[in-house]
Every structure is written in structure tokens, then in C-alpha cells.
Amino acid sequence: MIIELGHYALVLALATALIVSILPVIGARRGDVSMMDIAPIGSIVMFLLVAFSFAVLTYAYVASDFSVLNVWANSHSLMPQIFKISGVWGNHEGSMMLWLLILALFSALVALFGRNLPDVLRANVLAVQAWISSAFLVFILLTSNPFIRLNPAPAEGKDLNPILQDIGLAIHPPLLYLGYVGFSVCFSFAVAALLEGRIDAAWARWVRPWTLAAWSFLTLGIAMGSYWAYYELGWGGWWFWDPVENASFMPWLAGTALLHSALVMEKRDALKIWTVLLAILTFSLSLLGTFLVRSGVLTSVHSFASDPTRGIFILCILLVFIGGALSLFALRAPKLAAGGLFAPISREGALVLNNLILTVACGTVLTGTLYPLALETLTGDKISVGPPFFNMTFGLLMTPILIAVPFGPLLAWKRGDLLGALQRLYVVAGLAFLAGLVLFYIKHGGPVLAALGLAAGFFLVFGALADLWYRAGVGKVAAGVAWRRLSGLPRSAFGTALAHAGLGITVLGIVAVTTFEAEHITSMKPGETAELGGYSLRFDGMQPAVGPNYTEDRAHFTISRGGVAFAEMSSSKRVFTASRTATTESGILTLGLNQLYVSVGDASQDGGMVVRIWWKPFILCIWMGALVMAIGGFVSLSDRRLRVGAPSRKAKPVRPAMEPAE
């Protein structure tokens, strides 16, 4: 009975979404406050209904109710409880439920925290959110219903994909969807502004917190996905330019540009049209990623569905929302005021340069991802666009931005002094270049350009610190005064510094591991030793082990340096009981910021085991930098200026819904 209630809650949620989609918009056109007030109440009710439905599906997984088709196809009674819960979204139907839940959550949050919004704007924003919710509710109910029953009920489930039976599944998709779906609020604000025909600095102030939140979560989601693939797949790589990886990376690039563009609009009332377009494109890229994952057009570890019906349905959603929003933009954008003027050499100019580079980089990734699909559709020819293309094009495009980022915060608004910024940063540049050379010398053996890449990373980190240094007046005023200035800076200043420094840390990790990593593939028998990265690995032999729903053969290694053993690690070949699927579990030993990575293969002809060993220097900097960037986003989000609210608009008189009786 409870399963049917979960299904019925989805139907009620659809009815609520349709009401919120229509009535508040009519109320906004008529100036009817009572109709506009339906939007926040309806959005909260819709979230509660979707949350209840999601809770019912989760209960079915926890209780191992195999009478539900979705549970039978993606669970097993022997699975650990944490994987039963995370397995809810480890499939197409469940992941769409998670998408819908987060979408409804953001709508409810706008309803709760958007009380300072003008009535018309809030009504239109929540109505657009309801349009998106309605589309995905119809999609779930018609093509991806997770509550279909089996009769008779099987005694046991088919088990979850072994790769997904990992703590990463509990963390990566929710974080990623919070980023993906979070940008829907920015999209809704953009469409609402176009419907109203009004956009100003107050609008940018309202949009920026939602952009920050979505961007921060998406940063964490991408980083977690990268690390999950790194340790789970046993391939030793952290990024492969997989089409679906690209699909998550493109909204991040566009969202980064949107974040900076909204800042210019808020501060200087400029880049209005560009900001609205970016808000539309960022969520459009999120929808495109959804289509790529669920349409079956791609072969990827991320792909959940291959049903053409589902693909066509999502394509229709894609065309309606992206096409409709862009058509509305084309119609209304020429009527919007262009905004303030500024000199090319200014903080606005630096942010525009940042936006141009990020947008072109996003377009490059989009081209490399979609071109093979388009070519196959039009000509039938199959080609592959792989890492060499992306590394060359994206790397070259991002080089100028790595140099330009530290200059931006040091330039004045409207008209800046480039020579003054250069004078402030020449010491930083010198220190960064020296640090790059030192690190290059310590690790020696890499290409000469690696030193420049390392210097660019240090330049970003030191440049972020220099901004705080000069704003506090360190060295120019007394220490107490400098400390008071530093502590009195808005949190957004610290958030910006952390985000830029985090980017520098990530660049350091990418350059270091790409340049200095070492790989060794060999066949090892018990007692034999392999050398890599200054460490010795002794193969101690294979040991059988039994898990809750799998058996494994575990290869045990003893790690020593200078003849002294100091650590142990293991890598295993795992076979799952239900599906009989084999996986490789890598062994990772963390040494400071470095990692020793071991993956065992099949038995060799000489009676040994094939062992792949990697030495990965400074690889943790890649994910630590992403974490610092996300923390910077949340620190900026905690800024009082964003929590208190946006500057008030001049209130428009709202005519009553009914005229008083004479």
C-alpha cells in the first residue's frame, strides 16, 4: 500500500506543479496578489509531496521490497545498508527522482528565502521552476515510473552494479545534482526578468547567492566524481574527458562565467544582457548533460538508460526550455538597457576577459563532445575525440586566464591602472617563478615548460594572498591597524581569495602529476620487489577474503624506503555473489600530498601476478584545490550582504484584484 501512496504523491505533485505553473503567472500579469501568493505555498507543498514519494522509494530499498521492479533490478538483500540507500539513485528511475527532489527543494528554498523579492518577480521565478518540475514529473510518470510492481514478487534482487557499490555513490550524485539543478534557479530568474522586461543591479544581487551555491556544490560534485573514478576503476587516472565528464564540466565553466558576470552587473550595472544569456546557457548545459546520460546516444560508465522513448522525451524537454528561453531572450533582450560603461583596463574589463575565455573554452569542450555524435548522425562515420584534442585546445585557452586572475582584484572599478597592478605583483610573480623552479629542480626530469606551469599555479596562490595583503595595508600601517582592516574585510573578499588560491592549488596538482608521475607494469611472484618513486614494494602473496556480498583475492604488499618497512597496502580482485561480476579494487598509500597507487591484474604465464604501480606526486592537490574553491564559494555565500538581501527596488503600485464596492 505504501508504494502506491508514493506513486499517488507524485501524481499530486504534478497537479500542484501545474497550478503553480499557471495561476501565479496570470496573477503577475493582472497584478493580483492573491494569485501570486499561490506560488510560494504551492512550491512548498510540491516539495513535501516529492520528498514523501522519494522517502517511500527509499523505504522500498531499505526493506528489500522486491515486489517493486526498480528495487528488484538494482538491489540485493546482502548489500550493506548504506549501499541500499545510495542505490536509490544508482539507476535511471531513482536518479531522476533525486533530480526532481532537488529541483523541488530549490523551489521551496526560493519560496522561503525569497520573501524580500518583489511579488511579481517571485511569482514568475517560482512559476518557471514549476514549469521545469512539471516536465520532469510527466517524464517520470510516463516513462520512468519507479513504483511499478512485480507479481509475483521475486525472492531476491539482481544486485546493484558493483562499481556503484561504493561510498562515492552516496556523495557524488547528490553533490553533482545540487549543482546541476541549482542553476535552474538562475535560469528561472533570467526567464522571469525577460517576462517582466526588467533587469537591474538588484536582480543580480538576488541571483548571485543561488549561483554561488550551485557553483560550489558542482565543484565538489565534479571533484568527488574524479576521485571516485580514480580509486574505484583501477586505471590510475583522474580525468579522461569522457563525454559525460564533459557534460558536468561545461555547466561549471559557464557557471563560473555567470558568477563573475553577475558581480559586474551588481557592482557597476553593466553586462546585463550577457548575464541573462549566461544564466540561460548554464542551465541549458545542465539539461544537455541530462540528455546525453539518459538518451542512449553515448556509451559511458555514466550512462543509465538506452531507451529511445526516454531519449526523445528528454530531447523534447530540452528543445522546449532551451528553445523557448532563447527565443524569449531574442525577443526581449534588445529592449533591455545596456548598462554602465567602463574602460578596457579595469576590474570590469578583467572580468569580461575572464568571461570570454571561459565561454570559448566551454564552446571548445562542447564542440569536442558533440561533433562525433553529429558526424555519425549526418554521415554514419564514427570518430573519437579524445584527450589529446582537449588537452591541447583547453590547455592553451586556459593559460591566459591563469595569468590574468591575480590582476583582476587589484584593478579598480571602471578605470584601472595596469602598471600599478604590475608593480604590486612583480614580487609575487618572482616568488612564484622561483617556487616553480625549486619544485621542478626537486622533482627533476620533466620538460622545461613544467616549471612555467608550476609557476602559474604558485602565481595564482600568491596572487590571491597578495590581494588580501594590499587591502589590509600590511607594511604600510601599524600591525594592529592592518589586522583590523583584514578582519573588517567582507567575507566575499576572503571567499574570492580562497577560490583563486584553490584554482592555483589544482593547477599545481595537475602540472605536477602530469609531468612527474611514474608508472611501472610488471609480473610479480610472492617475495619479489619492485622499485618506484624511491620506494620498494614487496609482494607478500594473495589472501582470500569474504565480504557481505562478495568474495575477493587480496594481494598484500609491504612498502619500504631505504631498506626500512614502514607501511602495508593491498589491492584485490573482487567477485560479487549475485551478478558474478568481477572488479578490481586499487590499493592507495598516501604520503603527504603524494600517493603510491597499486592495481593487480590477472595471473601471468610465469605464475606471478600482473601488477601496475604508479607514483603520483602532489596528486592530492587536484582535489584539495577543488575543496578550497568550494569553501571559498560557501564563505562568499555567508557574506552578510548576500544574507540580508538585495537593494530594494522602487515599489510598483499593485492594483487590487477586486474594486471596493461604492
Side-chain angles (χ1 to χ4, degrees), residues 149-239:
R149 289 279 199 176
L150 289 174
N151 189 21
E156 192 55 86
K158 295 175 66 176
D159 206 7
L160 182 66
N161 184 341
I163 295 176
L164 301 179
Q165 296 188 37
D166 186 85
I167 192 65
L169 182 64
I171 304 172
H172 168 57
L175 288 176
L176 197 68
Y177 284 10
L178 283 168
Y180 266 164
V181 183
F183 285 123
S184 68
V185 180
C186 308
F187 175 87
S188 298
F189 266 97
V191 173
L194 292 172
L195 288 172
E196 191 179 354
R198 183 180 183 184
I199 184 170
D200 51 23
W203 180 89
R205 177 70 66 85
W206 288 314
V207 167
R208 202 152 71 89
W210 301 104
T211 308
L212 266 172
W215 180 87
S216 301
F217 281 121
L218 186 57
T219 302
L220 290 174
I222 293 173
M224 182 62 217
S226 170
Y227 190 69
W228 181 17
Y230 167 74
Y231 74 77
E232 176 64 26
L233 299 182
W235 65 309
W238 54 273
W239 192 262

Side-chain angles (χ1 to χ4, degrees), residues 377-394:
T377 302
L378 296 174
T379 67
D381 297 332
K382 292 186 177 182
I383 65 168
S384 176
V385 178
F389 167 81
F390 292 106
N391 292 339
M392 179 62 68
T393 56
F394 185 81

